[in-house]
Amino acid sequence: MKLPLRAPLAQKLIAVARPAKFGRGEETLADPSVRDTWELTPDQITLGGTGWPTLLDSALEHFRDQLGLPRGSRLRAELHSMLVYGKGQFFLPHQDSEKDDAMVGTLVVSLPSAHTGGDLVIEHGGESIAYRASKDELTLIAFYADCRHQVTPVRSGYRETLTFNLLTDAGSPAVEAGPAAEPAAA
Ligand SMILES: O=C(O)CCC(=O)C(=O)O
Ligand SMILES: [Fe+2]
């Protein structure tokens, strides 16, 4: 995939995507008034390219430390989906469902793509911080699984992200997490 993402490629991705669903309790729902985004599933995606494995590994070490997990532990990222947001698309405030006991959080990798709107707003410790993706580089943002977050409506262009479940072998993160109260960005 050639980056930065431009409209013709975004439209090709949308052509093979499906409307994203979301979890509420035991259910998985599609409701465009709550979440309006195109989604591609891991079987449709191959991650690669020079530098990607190294970049991901060093980002995971950084986030392990920032999230207050022990240095000796390992953080793993499991690809969850590729999301494409066109004009007007968004995701209302929610918490990600934890499908796995080892899940400590979410990693969002925004691919470079010119757009306005489409901020990722994360709540933590009574604060709410808006993260805006770079149009030239990858932007990586990690947050704890219990953080509410939302994606504000895209006003122009396309926003594209890869989302990953962050898993740890460190045991209970609630016990291990120190006072590192910020969502971490690299
Ligand atoms: O696209 C994003 O930045 C985040 C999407 C999200 O919150 C989710 O997939 O649960
Ligand atoms: Fe989410």
Side-chain angles (χ1 to χ4, degrees), residues 54-118:
T54 317
L55 185 135
L56 181 63
D57 281 348
S58 60
L60 289 172
E61 279 188 20
H62 171 83
F63 288 130
R64 177 199 63 205
D65 297 343
Q66 292 287 307
L67 294 172
L69 299 167
R71 288 219 129 204
S73 67
R74 209 166 82 82
L75 199 57
R76 282 184 298 122
E78 184 184 78
L79 182 61
H80 184 258
S81 51
M82 177 186 272
L83 303 173
V84 185
Y85 299 75
K87 191 173 177 219
Q89 292 192 293
F90 63 90
F91 195 173
L92 290 187
H94 65 280
Q95 245 174 255
D96 292 341
S97 34
E98 291 170 63
K99 295 146 208 104
D100 192 315
D101 284 345
M103 182 168 162
V104 280
T106 297
L107 168 66
V108 175
V109 178
S110 296
L111 304 187
S113 173
H115 64 274
T116 59

Side-chain angles (χ1 to χ4, degrees), residues 76-185:
R76 282 184 298 122
E78 184 184 78
L79 182 61
H80 184 258
S81 51
M82 177 186 272
L83 303 173
V84 185
Y85 299 75
K87 191 173 177 219
Q89 292 192 293
F90 63 90
F91 195 173
L92 290 187
H94 65 280
Q95 245 174 255
D96 292 341
S97 34
E98 291 170 63
K99 295 146 208 104
D100 192 315
D101 284 345
M103 182 168 162
V104 280
T106 297
L107 168 66
V108 175
V109 178
S110 296
L111 304 187
S113 173
H115 64 274
T116 59
D119 286 356
L120 174 61
V121 182
I122 303 169
E123 296 169 34
H124 188 69
E127 261 193 301
S128 179
I129 302 177
Y131 294 89
R132 153 141 292 279
S134 164
K135 64 179 175 41
D136 307 309
E137 298 175 308
L138 295 177
T139 306
L140 284 76
I141 296 166
F143 49 90
Y144 295 118
D146 64 357
C147 292
R148 266 164 67 85
H149 55 281
Q150 63 177 301
V151 178
T152 63
V154 168
R155 289 195 302 272
S156 67
Y158 290 92
R159 174 179 191 273
E160 186 183 0
T161 58
L162 294 166
T163 61
F164 296 84
N165 295 332
L166 288 176
L167 311 171
T168 184
D169 58 10
S172 169
V175 177
E176 305 285 358
E182 260 108 281

